[in-house]
Amino acid sequence: MAQIFPKWTNQVPRKILIGLIVVLNAVIFGVWYFFSPQYTDVGYAPEQPVPYSHKIHVDQLGLDCQYCHTSAFDSKQANIPATQTCMNCHNQVQVKNPDNVALILDSWETGKALEWVRVHNLPDYAYFNHSAHTNVGVGCESCHGRIDKMEVVYQSEPLSMGWCLDCHREPEKYVRPVDEVTTMGYKVENQLEIGKALVDKKNIHAPTYCQGCHY
Amino acid sequence: MNDLESTDRQMSEEVKETTYWKSLNELANNKEYQKYAEREFTENATELNDGVSRRGFLRVMGASVALAGLAACRRPVQKILPYSKQPEDIVPGIPLYYATAMPVQGNLVGLIAENHEGRPTKLEGNDMHPASRGGTSIYNQAAILGLYDPDRSQSPLYNGNKSTVADFEAFAKSHFANTGQRIAFISEANSSPTYQTIKEQALSKFNNSTWVTYEPFGEDNVVEGNRIAFGGRLRTHYNLENADVIVSLNDDFMSSTHPNNVEYAKQVSSRRKVTDTDGEMNRIYSVEDSFSLTGSYADHRLKLKASQMEAFTYALAAALSTRINGLSAFSSYTNEFTDHKWITALADDLAANAGSSALTAGAQHKPEVHAAVAAINQALGNTGSTVHYLDVPHIDEQSSTEAFADVVAEMKAGNIDTVVMVGVNPVHTAPADLDFENALSNVDTVVDLSDYVDETSKKAAWHVNRAHFLEAWGDGYSYGGARSVIQPQIRPLHEGLSEIEFLNTIVSGSMTAGYDLVRDTFQGYYRSGFDTRWTNILHDGIDTTGNFNQVNVRLSSGFASAMNRAKSNVSSTTGMEVVIRPDATLYDGRYANLGWLQELPDPMTKVTWDNVALMSPATAKSLGVEEAGAGQDDYDVVEITVNGRSINIVAWVQPGHVDDAITLTAGYGREGIGRVASSYIDYTAGGVDVYPLRGTDNMLFASANVSTTGDTYEIACVQDHHSLEGRDMYRQAPISEYKKNPDFASFASVHTYEVPGMEAAEEMGEDQPISLFNEQTYPDYEPQWGMAIDLNSCFGCGVCVIACQSENNIPVIGKKEVKQGREMHWIRNDRYYVGDDAESPQAVHQPVPCMHCELAPCEQVCPVAATTHSEDGMNQMTYNRCIGTRYCANNCPYKVRRFNFFNYPKEYLTTGDDPDIIQMAMNPEVTVRFRGVMEKCTYCAQRVNRAKIEAKKETGSPKPADGAVKTACQQACPADAIYFGDLTDDNSEVAQMKRNERNFQMLEELNTRPRTSYMAKLTNPNPALA
């Protein structure tokens, strides 16, 4: 019988199979990494209406997180401060600077809100309560990173469910005493030992059942 | 079976042999019904039935979604807008609660509004307010939707063209400068002292003016009756807590249609709460024509036509006159009811409970009936204990019905220059024979203030949009006289005027803010310590002073002669009788555009989105009305003619309705006031307007000619939906049975055998039947949530359904979808008829939320683990995991799961030109669910979680104190039928209720171990009537 197919076609099935496996793995890996919050959300640093620098205010001037974000220990939101808070100092400090303070003055005088761009955002079906975390010793920097080093705020942690569960399953690896919650750069050698003691003292049972956050 | 008599745990024969059925088709249990009830979701449930199949739809949408998808790769930008100057009390994320009050027909019900940063989202009852005591009616709960209704009138209109408040002010100043013109003020009933002050000013400034109060279903007849009996136009106010026997003559005082229903429901149900065999209950009798809520709650019910109530009342008075003193006006009077079994029994029971009984009659009956009722209460010595009479300042000296008819006659004759209408809609609701619309056209200038651009607004030269009570300052009195200030929760959304601002503009020619007007009034009340007392009334929602005067009454000298005239002038009807009532969900039509209320099934008929003509099975047969089969939606239409005017309306068979009478409910059939009233999602208009049949001589009942038309019309009725098909879901017994046999409600008692698997389990030392599934163990540090519903308290009003809808962002789906069985209410109220006699059944109500089963059948079958069990005992629903298999709904034996077939929230939230408005009514703490996702009652997880976090912060333990967290349904219920709380706390109310002998679980044999259980109903029948 005449040979219909040339000899090199013998290798085609094997090559297709290997190619398919490689491509499938690449696609899966690609989706797994490039579509994960680690890639899409970490580093998000939107431009804000006013070039407010946490580095100046927190690192240089020494303002505590709670001076502006007042409801972090009381409510589910740690609020962005009202223009009124800025005016506490800026009715005297740098009043004439047209690039930044003037924009705040505009909001103060007209009563219009400043439209900040939200950096840390969870999907609508997930509910997060700040006060439940701050009151038991989860530090601000655990989730928001070293804000005191940021000229422009960027998202430093993925805030994905898996990332949340890392702490929820083993809170002793991450908790700190409540009065250290707003400290930037907190580090101790015996974290696990202190952590375990804090978990006991604060009766921490971080929910890992769905309704803890999804309702 | 001979075991029946042997052990103590067996129930008596007659108690066990009851059948529970939801509809006549279920009672017949014909093949059609069985076929219909077999399916979880109706035939073609997933098909979009208006021409486009789902596949076709997806094909079209799929393409555009793919194109849109890539563009959405960029993360959407969300903005945070903090305040510029933050108000003092606001902590972002924590809602504030303010006391306010809702006026309904002039009577205030105290409410607490949950306010998220200046946006009210939920209304609750105010514990401190006597007309609420923590409970609410369906109108109170739905009022929040009324605030955000996109169809509300959004600006003043001058001759139909958009205008402004400033223009109206200018008009008022110039037009009303002529103080001598003949003005007629037609107003709603309003108890506000500020309003009354401005009314006085108006009447004195405009010396040729008249003022008339018009309410289509008002209390005028009761007040007139008291004048006949006692000489003064007084309001009757009951204290049913003190009543051991209550007799209702066609008075549905537990339904939302009664002005003081929340207080009465609370009082009556509080006398029926029995926790042990020593408990006692009151006894309620209801004599009525249609099946009312009060009738379903009563121990005894007698069917009587509305026209016969008068004769019945006089016969009762005559029977009592032989037993007690004070009713000599009726001695030796006889009529067709004199020897009626009920007359004897009632007279005996009332006399035996003289001083702790109460007789009441429906407000629409003629004044003479109320006079007789008042005299009977007086003679029984009930005055001062179960009933008292109040002198209400805003009730006029002249009968409103007469005054209104006079004014219309003047208008017709062209004797009125200007008509000012405040909060009324007479073009729609006035008695048809007055021909109000025609009379109005003879008036030069018509000015109207209303919420919607309604039938009357369209005939007015000037229409001013009204500010909702949640947007405006006001004041007023509750039904019993408690004074409150109405505190606004948000700036007027459409810059409307409240009624006091409106009237004040007309009287004074310039706008004064409602705040100033109300404060002025209260400066007059609080002459010293104003600031503290003002703050107190705003905080508490009630001012303990300032009640209506209770009048000491004596039978007037003219009473006997008035009764003599009445006795010889008893009304009657010939042939078929037609009775017109306010609708249980829409009242007189004022709530017609509120989707929640349109979709709320009528408490007794379970019909949504339409009104129907109710008649008994025998009457339907005699008229030749065909019964619709199960699952069919076409019902016969009949034509009803009264005094030459006709309407065509669907005939509905109501078991237990009196023969040869038809009940119609008002409020439907409105056109042009909004999308919902005309049923925007569907193709058929919402119901039939019955006001044309109502004339001044037949405001309640009339003789009618009825005939079938041969047409049919589709009705969306939910009574057969989610049926448990006759399984054991309800248990009840007379209280005597309970005392003899406290365990009557246990499974073994009812079924004569133990729960399957229980004996084997007990041998092994377990307290629950063995199960094939892995049982979850719960940690000690978590609370365990449970719910107990007392069937002895629930009377089926449906406020739990509306409260849940408000709290959990449940969408309205429209008539067509309801017909397919897709209603989204997480808690439903099942109404069962009891017994084998379709002409005179008993009716009972059962609210069914999610059972939160510990061994949940739904959890076992979800392929993606979207529904699982939490550590605190709740069955949790994770919307983002759900892929829409619907296996869980199929497996749920209680049928409590609801599926979002067609993205109802999107349809519901984005209608109209201004979609943002209705979105403001949503509760931010609850996810709004998308298409293709299953949802169900969550025991208000958002409230539970909030309470757990607060408890954890304050005490270190996540277990809230008993009562710290209430589910929405529990909080709204005026009868306190729902108990919810932590079962690990032995002293919590719910734990106590679950330990009670009356506690039972629905479908216990399935071993689902539901956390929601019920307490069996008890009845208190009179042995003489048994």
Side-chain angles (χ1 to χ4, degrees):
Chain A
M1 210 167 114
Q3 301 293 328
I4 309 174
F5 295 103
K7 201 143 187 202
W8 60 267
T9 56
N10 286 346
Q11 305 304 318
V12 169
R14 185 188 305 143
K15 290 212 172 92
I16 287 180
L17 192 63
I18 293 175
L20 209 63
I21 291 174
V22 169
V23 165
L24 209 62
N25 279 311
V27 167
I28 290 173
F29 173 79
V31 169
W32 175 82
Y33 180 68
F34 290 103
F35 282 61
S36 71
Q38 179 67 35
Y39 180 77
T40 58
D41 292 347
V42 173
Y44 177 55
E47 193 185 324
Q48 300 289 350
V50 174
Y52 174 79
S53 163
H54 277 91
K55 191 155 159 83
I56 296 175
H57 291 80
V58 178
D59 201 16
Q60 210 178 322
L61 296 175
L63 281 184
D64 184 76
C65 310
Q66 281 188 283
Y67 181 78
C68 297
H69 301 282
T70 50
S71 58
F73 280 71
D74 300 320
S75 128
K76 59 175 156 70
Q77 292 166 12
N79 59 315
I80 302 288
T83 316
Q84 198 166 13
T85 311
C86 309
M87 295 309 293
N88 284 342
C89 295
H90 284 286
N91 54 3
Q92 295 175 8
V93 174
Q94 292 254 7
V95 175
K96 297 275 191 352
N97 189 330
D99 297 321
N100 34 37
V101 180
L103 303 165
I104 305 175
L105 283 180
D106 188 53
S107 159
W108 174 248
E109 255 131 48
T110 60
K112 257 177 58 115
L114 285 168
E115 297 194 12
W116 302 96
V117 179
R118 188 165 180 172
V119 178
H120 299 87
N121 201 1
L122 285 184
D124 285 345
Y125 47 76
Y127 287 87
F128 177 78
N129 187 310
H130 272 91
S131 64
H133 291 78
T134 50
N135 280 295
V136 295
V138 179
C140 302
E141 65 172 331
S142 304
C143 309
H144 296 289
R146 292 300 300 270
I147 294 272
D148 59 331
K149 302 271 179 261
M150 298 180 191
E151 288 279 358
V152 177
V153 174
Y154 61 85
Q155 184 171 332
S156 64
E157 301 289 338
L159 301 185
S160 60
M161 179 169 158
W163 175 86
C164 292
L165 281 177
D166 283 340
C167 180
H168 270 237
R169 288 180 171 140
E170 294 165 312
E172 59 272 7
K173 287 192 181 163
Y174 303 94
V175 293
R176 59 180 74 178
V178 176
D179 46 8
E180 298 278 4
V181 160
T182 59
T183 312
M184 291 281 136
Y186 172 86
K187 210 173 189 62
V188 272
E189 272 90 53
N190 52 346
Q191 170 62 42
L192 276 181
E193 195 187 306
I194 298 183
K196 284 208 171 75
L198 285 171
V199 166
D200 276 333
K201 175 168 143 211
K202 285 278 174 191
N203 200 16
I204 293 179
H205 300 286
T208 51
Y209 53 89
C210 309
Q211 206 168 258
C213 315
H214 296 287
Y215 48 85
Chain B
M1 286 189 43
N2 295 336
D3 306 333
L4 286 173
E5 284 92 66
S6 50
T7 61
D8 289 350
R9 287 161 74 196
Q10 310 296 358
M11 255 167 46
S12 55
E13 272 287 352
E14 70 254 23
V15 180
K16 265 214 308 285
E17 292 285 309
T18 43
T19 42
Y20 290 87
W21 42 279
K22 286 214 235 179
S23 68
L24 289 168
N25 284 315
E26 185 174 349
L27 181 63
N29 205 14
N30 47 34
K31 266 202 135 69
E32 231 177 10
Y33 176 77
Q34 285 169 357
K35 191 154 163 287
Y36 169 78
E38 231 171 47
R39 302 178 61 97
E40 168 65 31
F41 298 103
T42 57
E43 202 92 45
N44 292 329
T46 52
E47 292 298 318
L48 191 55
N49 270 335
D50 53 10
V52 185
S53 79
R54 195 179 88 181
R55 294 225 165 79
F57 178 77
L58 278 177
R59 216 178 293 133
V60 171
M61 294 316 294
S64 43
V65 162
L67 293 172
L70 289 172
C73 262
R74 197 101 287 256
R75 176 169 160 162
V77 167
Q78 246 204 28
K79 298 276 181 75
I80 301 180
L81 271 62
Y83 288 96
S84 169
K85 297 181 187 61
Q86 187 160 321
E88 198 183 315
D89 294 312
I90 290 190
V91 177
I94 298 183
L96 292 173
Y97 296 88
Y98 292 99
T100 181
M102 173 170 177
V104 182
Q105 267 195 321
N107 303 308
L108 295 191
V109 176
L111 301 174
I112 306 264
E114 178 175 340
N115 196 314
H116 288 268
E117 279 116 46
R119 176 172 70 95
T121 54
K122 182 86 173 48
L123 296 174
E124 306 290 357
N126 183 351
D127 284 337
M128 295 176 72
H129 196 275
S132 161
R133 309 218 198 148
T136 46
S137 76
I138 52 176
Y139 307 140
N140 302 140
Q141 289 290 340
I144 198 83
L145 193 65
L147 170 66
Y148 296 116
D149 193 345
D151 293 323
R152 265 177 73 197
S153 174
Q154 304 197 356
S155 77
L157 296 175
Y158 179 55
N159 286 332
N161 301 321
K162 267 181 85 143
S163 182
T164 63
V165 172
D167 284 341
F168 173 72
E169 221 181 302
F171 159 79
K173 198 176 174 132
S174 71
H175 180 84
F176 291 96
N178 172 10
T179 58
Q181 61 180 305
R182 297 163 299 182
I183 307 180
F185 291 92
I186 306 180
S187 154
E188 57 174 13
N190 197 317
S191 61
S192 155
T194 311
Y195 191 71
Q196 299 304 316
T197 311
I198 304 177
K199 167 186 163 183
E200 300 300 319
Q201 291 170 357
L203 288 172
S204 70
K205 176 171 181 186
F206 304 112
N207 43 6
N208 260 332
S209 60
T210 42
W211 185 285
V212 147
T213 305
Y214 177 67
E215 288 284 348
F217 296 98
E219 58 182 331
D220 204 47
N221 286 356
V222 184
V223 167
E224 215 14 60
N226 287 336
R227 188 194 60 74
I228 296 176
F230 304 126
R233 282 173 58 87
L234 308 169
R235 171 184 280 173
T236 314
H237 187 220
Y238 292 93
N239 184 350
L240 298 174
E241 251 163 25
N242 293 339
D244 295 326
V245 172
I246 301 171
V247 177
S248 156
L249 300 173
N250 214 6
D251 187 14
D252 196 1
F253 56 83
M254 298 187 85
S255 157
S256 298
T257 51
H258 191 283
N260 202 26
N261 68 92
V262 178
E263 183 180 34
Y264 289 161
K266 197 156 232 164
Q267 289 173 338
V268 171
S269 61
S270 74
R271 289 298 307 276
R272 291 178 82 88
K273 292 205 188 292
V274 174
T275 46
D276 55 43
T277 48
D278 293 326
E280 294 298 336
M281 279 168 47
N282 60 9
R283 179 174 291 147
I284 308 177
Y285 300 88
S286 180
V287 181
E288 56 187 29
D289 53 348
S290 181
F291 220 136
S292 71
L293 288 188
T294 311
S296 67
Y297 196 61
D299 300 299
H300 290 284
R301 186 177 167 268
L302 175 68
K303 289 188 297 189
L304 212 60
K305 284 196 200 177
S307 59
Q308 293 174 305
M309 292 292 162
E310 192 181 355
F312 189 88
T313 314
Y314 299 155
L316 182 60
L320 276 169
S321 70
T322 62
R323 291 162 172 80
I324 54 175
N325 292 328
L327 287 169
S328 50
F330 290 95
S331 52
S332 65
Y333 168 76
T334 59
N335 64 16
E336 69 270 31
F337 290 107
T338 306
D339 296 316
H340 197 285
K341 195 171 66 166
W342 266 64
I343 293 287
T344 323
L346 284 181
D348 285 334
D349 213 355
L350 283 171
N353 288 287
S356 60
S357 51
L359 179 66
T360 169
Q364 303 306 314
H365 282 287
K366 66 204 283 200
E368 286 76 5
V369 171
H370 292 286
V373 166
I376 292 174
N377 278 326
Q378 178 80 346
L380 285 169
N382 293 334
T383 314
S385 110
T386 62
V387 60
H388 46 254
Y389 299 93
L390 303 172
D391 182 15
V392 178
H394 71 270
I395 292 184
D396 299 317
E397 278 314 303
Q398 192 201 359
S399 150
S400 316
T401 7
E402 277 172 27
F404 182 68
D406 287 343
V407 159
V408 177
E410 292 291 314
M411 281 163 59
K412 240 193 191 139
N415 294 340
I416 305 282
D417 302 313
T418 307
V419 164
V420 176
M421 290 185 282
V422 185
V424 288
N425 189 7
V427 169
H428 176 61
T429 62
D433 56 339
L434 290 180
D435 201 2
F436 187 87
E437 194 173 330
N438 205 1
L440 200 61
S441 59
N442 289 343
V443 177
D444 297 328
T445 317
V446 179
V447 182
D448 147 89
L449 176 78
S450 56
D451 289 308
Y452 296 91
V453 181
D454 56 28
E455 294 84 345
T456 307
S457 313
K458 294 193 170 87
K459 305 282 176 219
W462 267 101
H463 158 76
V464 179
N465 55 327
R466 185 175 183 174
H468 195 266
F469 79 90
L470 288 170
E471 309 176 305
W473 285 93
D475 52 11
Y477 291 93
S478 73
Y479 190 81
R483 184 167 58 202
S484 304
V485 168
I486 299 175
Q487 218 185 152
Q489 300 301 311
I490 191 171
R491 268 252 186 90
L493 294 172
H494 310 296
E495 290 171 28
L497 295 183
S498 65
E499 71 278 11
I500 50 178
E501 290 169 342
F502 173 76
L503 211 55
N504 188 56
T505 309
I506 288 179
V507 169
S508 67
S510 63
M511 246 292 277
T512 312
Y515 178 66
D516 296 321
L517 295 171
V518 173
R519 265 179 83 99
D520 269 341
T521 309
F522 278 80
Q523 298 272 12
Y525 290 130
Y526 303 150
R527 292 202 186 275
S528 67
F530 175 77
D531 285 322
T532 321
R533 296 173 73 182
W534 174 253
T535 312
N536 281 344
I537 194 176
L538 289 181
H539 175 272
D540 294 344
I542 179 181
D543 171 353
T544 48
T545 63
N547 291 312
F548 296 147
N549 286 332
Q550 265 193 44
V551 177
N552 285 328
V553 292
R554 262 192 354 260
L555 219 51
S556 86
S557 48
F559 176 73
S561 48
M563 286 298 103
N564 282 336
R565 282 196 298 277
K567 280 181 286 182
S568 45
N569 258 335
V570 178
S571 323
S572 63
T573 54
T574 49
M576 196 70 71
E577 176 172 306
V578 157
V579 174
I580 296 182
R581 298 220 130 78
D583 187 68
T585 57
L586 299 190
Y587 197 56
D588 53 4
R590 63 186 69 192
Y591 304 115
N593 208 48
L594 297 186
W596 295 349
L597 293 177
Q598 285 269 14
E599 195 152 286
L600 177 69
D602 180 276
M604 286 309 294
T605 64
K606 297 299 173 202
V607 167
T608 62
W609 290 98
D610 279 295
N611 59 343
V612 289
L614 303 177
M615 59 186 73
S616 68
T619 311
K621 205 154 170 218
S622 73
L623 285 174
V625 168
E626 293 266 331
E627 272 184 41
Q632 274 178 269
D633 305 311
D634 289 311
Y635 293 87
D636 278 350
V637 174
V638 293
E639 185 188 38
I640 302 179
T641 312
V642 172
N643 286 342
R645 289 179 291 267
S646 321
I647 58 167
N648 285 10
I649 187 169
V650 164
W652 191 266
V653 174
Q654 169 67 50
H657 200 284
V658 69
D659 289 335
D660 294 325
I662 292 182
T663 301
L664 297 173
T665 54
Y668 286 86
R670 303 190 64 184
E671 292 289 343
I673 62 156
R675 275 169 287 264
V676 176
S678 319
S679 195
Y680 70 99
I681 299 176
D682 197 11
Y683 48 82
T684 47
V688 175
D689 183 9
V690 306
Y691 280 111
L693 295 186
R694 214 174 175 224
T696 44
D697 52 354
N698 66 315
M699 296 287 269
L700 178 60
F701 54 77
S703 309
N705 288 325
V706 186
S707 55
T708 49
T709 57
D711 291 331
T712 56
Y713 183 78
E714 289 186 350
I715 293 282
C717 175
V718 308
Q719 65 185 354
D720 278 325
H721 296 170
H722 310 298
S723 170
L724 289 170
E725 298 176 43
R727 294 184 175 87
D728 166 27
M729 82 298 278
Y730 200 94
R731 295 179 193 167
Q732 60 169 330
I735 191 170
S736 51
E737 172 85 28
Y738 170 59
K739 287 181 199 267
K740 257 187 353 216
N741 177 16
D743 288 321
F744 76 91
S746 71
F747 187 90
S749 234
V750 174
H751 292 272
T752 72
Y753 54 84
E754 190 55 88
V755 176
M758 188 56 137
E759 278 166 20
E762 271 168 3
E763 277 165 27
M764 293 191 328
E766 305 278 333
D767 59 351
Q768 303 256 40
I770 46 177
S771 161
L772 288 175
F773 299 119
N774 282 334
E775 294 169 27
Q776 186 167 346
T777 48
Y778 302 102
D780 307 323
Y781 50 80
E782 290 281 1
Q784 296 304 318
W785 303 104
M787 182 183 272
I789 301 181
D790 186 4
L791 295 173
N792 211 12
S793 301
C794 175
F795 56 94
C797 65
V799 71
C800 49
V801 178
I802 302 288
C804 177
Q805 189 158 26
S806 174
E807 171 78 15
N808 293 299
N809 304 336
I810 296 175
V812 167
I813 64 172
K815 177 172 164 181
K816 194 159 61 156
E817 300 296 310
V818 174
K819 279 208 310 258
Q820 301 273 50
R822 299 169 185 159
E823 63 270 14
M824 299 298 292
H825 298 132
W826 288 4
I827 181 171
R828 66 172 192 267
N829 240 308
D830 284 337
R831 177 268 298 124
Y832 294 101
Y833 294 114
V834 188
D836 295 312
D837 180 10
E839 297 286 346
S840 292
Q842 188 202 3
V844 292
H845 304 274
Q846 184 175 38
V848 183
C850 174
M851 297 285 128
H852 289 273
C853 310
E854 290 178 10
L855 295 176
C858 56
E859 290 169 14
Q860 310 301 340
V861 298
C862 177
V864 293
T867 180
T868 47
H869 220 75
S870 75
E871 280 178 4
D872 48 4
M874 288 204 254
N875 170 273
Q876 52 198 2
M877 186 62 215
T878 313
Y879 307 118
N880 40 313
R881 276 185 89 95
C882 178
I883 57 170
T885 316
R886 303 193 295 279
Y887 196 162
C888 54
N890 210 7
N891 222 26
C892 174
Y894 308 99
K895 304 286 166 243
V896 295
R897 286 183 154 264
R898 306 279 175 262
F899 189 68
N900 230 310
F901 278 98
F902 288 117
N903 206 4
Y904 300 120
K906 175 149 185 268
E907 174 86 50
Y908 161 64
L909 293 177
T910 56
T911 47
D913 313 310
D914 193 352
D916 290 341
I917 285 198
I918 203 171
Q919 290 174 17
M920 289 168 80
M922 301 289 109
N923 183 354
E925 312 214 349
V926 177
T927 314
V928 176
R929 284 81 52 194
F930 189 63
R931 171 186 51 240
V933 165
M934 193 57 90
E935 60 190 55
K936 63 163 188 78
C937 158
T938 57
Y939 272 176
C940 282
Q942 66 279 5
R943 295 185 175 201
V944 165
N945 281 350
R946 199 204 301 170
K948 282 172 72 177
I949 291 174
E950 293 303 314
K952 183 83 196 290
K953 281 195 291 192
E954 270 160 45
T955 66
S957 152
K959 297 193 188 186
D962 186 31
V965 53
K966 288 185 172 203
T967 57
C969 50
Q970 174 191 19
Q971 194 167 13
C973 179
D976 297 319
I978 299 179
Y979 298 93
F980 175 77
D982 182 5
L983 295 174
T984 59
D985 176 2
D986 286 327
N987 296 328
S988 67
E989 260 189 335
V990 67
Q992 288 173 20
M993 290 301 151
K994 281 187 184 276
R995 286 196 291 267
N996 193 292
E997 311 111 335
R998 281 165 45 215
N999 189 52
F1000 71 93
Q1001 296 172 350
M1002 244 212 274
L1003 304 181
E1004 196 175 344
E1005 66 270 21
L1006 299 177
N1007 199 20
T1008 52
R1009 308 205 191 152
R1011 284 277 177 100
T1012 307
S1013 60
Y1014 292 90
M1015 294 169 67
K1017 179 173 159 121
L1018 297 174
T1019 53
N1020 187 14
N1022 183 344
L1025 274 180

